[in-house]
């Protein structure tokens, strides 16, 4: 399904996935919307940064035709729509693409009002963000989207539940995996294509 759309979430639920992941950004009028890239060209018929448009303008775009013509008219969803679609059905993983107190508080407010606090996984990108969300959404799990291997222990000490490693960090051996294990935190290995061959290599 076209990524970061409600049809992708419905397919994840249908397939029996335990969680679905979305990327959270802020529109020009301060609303939270879902888009992986900072710009619109790859996955919509829009142009330029998504943050330059209001939510209403973003939702006029076609976010499905790039994937397949049968998804023409698929819209960019708001975080509120995503939280409501997942409620009672699937865990929601939020990849937080921005930083700052106001942004974090707005994300937390949407989850508390429209989502399931205890079935939310917050993908934090800084130690400050991890600490802030421990207060804003204490029942939520946290996935540390760490910038480099050197930051494993810092994020672990900030109280995250799981630490993500990229496969490219393991080319010289499994020392990063051992470091995550030593912290007592769970390990998340980020694949790129989702093929069985890739999964087997990551497990190995």
């Amino acid at each position: 399904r076209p990524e970061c759309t409600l049809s992708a979430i419905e397919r994840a639920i249908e397939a029996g996935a335990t969680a679905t992941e979305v990327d959270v950004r802020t529109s020009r009028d301060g609303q939270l919307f879902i888009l992986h890239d900072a710009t619109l060209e790859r996955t919509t018929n829009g142009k330029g940064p998504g943050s330059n448009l209001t939510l209403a303008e973003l939702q006029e775009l076609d976010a499905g035709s790039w994937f397949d013509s049968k998804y023409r008219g698929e819209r960019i969803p708001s975080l509120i729509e995503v939280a409501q679609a997942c409620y009672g059905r699937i865990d929601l993983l939020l990849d937080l693409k921005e930083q700052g107190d106001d942004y974090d508080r707005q994300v937390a407010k949407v989850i508390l009002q429209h989502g399931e606090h205890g079935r939310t996984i917050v993908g934090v990108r800084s130690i400050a963000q991890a600490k802030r969300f421990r207060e804003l959404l204490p029942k939520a799990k946290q996935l540390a989207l760490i910038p480099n291997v050197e930051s494993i222990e810092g994020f672990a000490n900030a109280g995250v539940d799981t630490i993500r490693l990229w496969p490219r960090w393991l080319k010289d051996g499994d020392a990063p995996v051992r470091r995550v294990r030593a912290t007592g935190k769970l390990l998340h290995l980020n694949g790129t294509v989702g093929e069985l061959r890739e999964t087997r290599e990551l497990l190995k």
Side-chain angles (χ1 to χ4, degrees):
R1 302 293 186 275
E3 65 186 64
C4 284
T5 63
L6 294 178
S7 67
I9 290 171
E10 290 300 325
R11 178 61 184 139
I13 293 167
E14 180 186 314
T18 57
T20 185
E21 182 257 13
V22 296
D23 307 280
V24 185
R25 299 183 181 277
T26 308
S27 65
R28 195 181 79 208
D29 56 337
Q31 302 300 304
L32 297 171
F33 70 97
I34 306 306
L35 188 74
H36 179 272
D37 299 2
T39 54
L40 295 160
E41 283 84 350
R42 184 175 66 85
T43 59
T44 79
N45 61 340
K47 292 183 178 179
S51 58
N52 284 356
L53 301 182
T54 65
L55 179 62
E57 290 169 338
L58 288 164
Q59 295 197 316
E60 290 176 0
L61 301 175
D62 180 347
S65 291
W66 69 275
F67 185 82
D68 191 298
S69 60
K70 64 185 175 184
Y71 296 107
R72 179 177 289 113
E74 189 79 38
R75 294 183 308 128
I76 293 174
S78 68
L79 179 59
I80 290 174
E81 290 171 323
V82 165
Q84 291 172 339
C86 293
Y87 193 97
R89 305 169 74 201
I90 192 170
D91 290 5
L92 176 58
L93 167 54
L94 306 174
D95 185 337
L96 301 180
K97 293 296 190 182
E98 298 172 21
Q99 295 285 315
D101 187 70
D102 290 345
Y103 170 81
D104 291 350
R105 289 183 183 280
Q106 191 176 1
V107 169
K109 182 179 178 181
V110 169
I111 295 304
L112 290 170
Q113 290 183 350
H114 302 280
E116 279 185 283
H117 185 176
R119 294 190 68 179
T120 300
I121 306 158
V122 185
V124 294
R125 292 181 173 273
S126 71
I127 289 172
Q129 196 169 48
K131 290 178 178 177
R132 193 151 48 233
F133 269 97
R134 192 50 67 207
E135 296 182 7
L136 293 172
L137 294 177
K139 295 179 187 174
K141 293 188 175 71
Q142 288 191 8
L143 168 64
L145 305 174
I146 64 173
N148 49 54
V149 171
E150 289 67 38
S151 59
I152 288 173
E153 288 77 12
F155 275 87
N157 291 336
V160 302
D161 301 279
T162 306
I163 295 173
R164 177 183 73 177
L165 299 179
W166 287 103
R168 64 179 179 272
W169 295 345
L170 306 176
K171 286 181 179 174
D172 296 325
D174 64 356
V177 173
R178 294 177 185 276
R179 283 175 62 177
V180 172
R181 292 286 187 227
T183 68
K185 304 300 181 180
L186 297 172
L187 170 67
H188 179 95
L189 290 174
N190 208 100
T192 53
V193 292
E195 293 174 355
L196 191 58
R197 170 190 55 79
E198 178 185 55
T199 303
R200 283 180 175 143
E201 283 299 309
L202 290 173
L203 289 171
K204 188 167 66 178

